[in-house]
Amino acid sequence: MHLGNSVTAAGFWIGTLLPVAYLPVFLSGVDSAGSLSLVVSLLAIHALALIVGHDYSGSRSR
């Protein structure tokens, strides 16, 4: 059960902090297939992290 809590916490924090990685990608420009695949990959990882980290109890007020 401890592993499940760790995975949920990691998903929450990755989902929270991953948008910071969008800024350099967009500032450098999405002008090639490699850049586009990077953006799509970041969005997919972000969506997965949000789904996994949705039930993280540390994000709720007490």
Side-chain angles (χ1 to χ4, degrees), residues 10-34:
F12 173 80
W13 286 110
I14 290 170
T16 301
L17 298 174
L18 189 62
V20 174
Y22 295 162
L23 187 60
V25 173
F26 287 128
L27 288 177
S28 69
V30 184
D31 55 355
S32 67

Side-chain angles (χ1 to χ4, degrees), residues 20-51:
V20 174
Y22 295 162
L23 187 60
V25 173
F26 287 128
L27 288 177
S28 69
V30 184
D31 55 355
S32 67
S35 297
L36 182 61
S37 66
L38 177 62
V39 169
V40 171
S41 299
L42 282 173
L43 289 172
I45 292 168
H46 192 191
L48 181 63
L50 290 174
I51 291 168

Side-chain angles (χ1 to χ4, degrees), residues 3 7 50:
L3 179 62
V7 170
L50 290 174

